[in-house]
Amino acid sequence: DVVVTNTAAELHAEWLKSIQGGEWNRTSISNVGEAREVLEAGGSRNRKIVSILPGSKPSKLQIGLPFMLAIAESLAQRSSEDLVFLLPLAPTVSLADLASYADPTSNHFIERYGWAAGTLQTSPSCPLSSDFAPPVLLTSSGLPIHVWTPSPAYNVFLSSDLCLTTVGTNTAELGALGVPQVVVLPT
């Protein structure tokens, strides 16, 4: 039995459990496929995880990010489920780029179509480590979208109850992993 500690997968699984309202429990995992088991250990889940994958190219992000933020706000308002939103950031996208695409002063599509804006903030605290505090993209209505920067993000995908995505490589990856997805194309 291989036990890996302090890996990105372990930190991620524990971080996800903590934002779901579960008790933080140092559990070693040996691969990302066990992330879901770590999340579900010790009781029932009280939140549903929705991951947002707006794309990795500038043209997709400029339109897709504010559109998907608006979808997340709508889902959060209309759902009877307790939802938590994650955004696994593509490795080719910086946090500064993400903030720019969510900023109505630099992205005219937000105002033009009435989609949601967002402000990037650092997380005030993290129960996992003082060195590990994932940023949060706070939408116009105050909905927190937790940004996950380590890559690859397969453990985030596997932990998700649903992924909102755009057409691209990630649709094939999500399909291969068996993760439910809705492919979104703003028109």
Side-chain angles (χ1 to χ4, degrees), residues 14-150:
E14 292 173 4
W15 171 70
L16 281 176
K17 186 172 181 179
S18 73
I19 64 171
Q20 286 182 313
E23 292 296 318
W24 180 66
N25 181 9
R26 177 162 291 288
T27 305
S28 296
I29 62 173
S30 59
N31 63 53
V32 296
E34 295 177 22
R36 173 72 72 183
E37 293 173 26
V38 170
L39 288 170
E40 294 174 347
S44 62
R45 295 175 59 203
N46 58 0
R47 291 187 181 181
K48 299 291 184 189
I49 298 173
V50 178
S51 288
I52 299 171
L53 291 84
S56 60
K57 294 179 177 61
S59 59
K60 284 190 177 181
L61 285 164
Q62 188 174 26
I63 295 171
L65 180 63
F67 184 65
M68 287 192 185
L69 293 178
I71 291 171
E73 287 183 337
S74 180
L75 285 173
Q77 290 171 357
R78 297 173 188 211
S79 178
S80 61
E81 299 284 341
D82 190 9
L83 304 176
V84 63
F85 293 90
L86 305 178
L87 193 157
L89 195 61
T92 58
V93 180
S94 70
L95 287 171
D97 290 338
L98 182 70
S100 176
Y101 293 122
D103 182 354
T105 62
S106 60
N107 186 347
H108 68 278
F109 287 109
I110 295 170
E111 186 176 324
R112 183 175 184 183
Y113 295 111
W115 292 336
T119 305
L120 194 63
Q121 301 178 350
T122 48
S123 185
S125 65
C126 180
L128 302 177
S129 166
S130 59
D131 298 330
F132 180 74
V136 172
L137 188 61
L138 200 61
T139 69
S140 312
S141 69
L143 178 68
I145 310 290
H146 302 274
V147 180
W148 184 252
T149 56

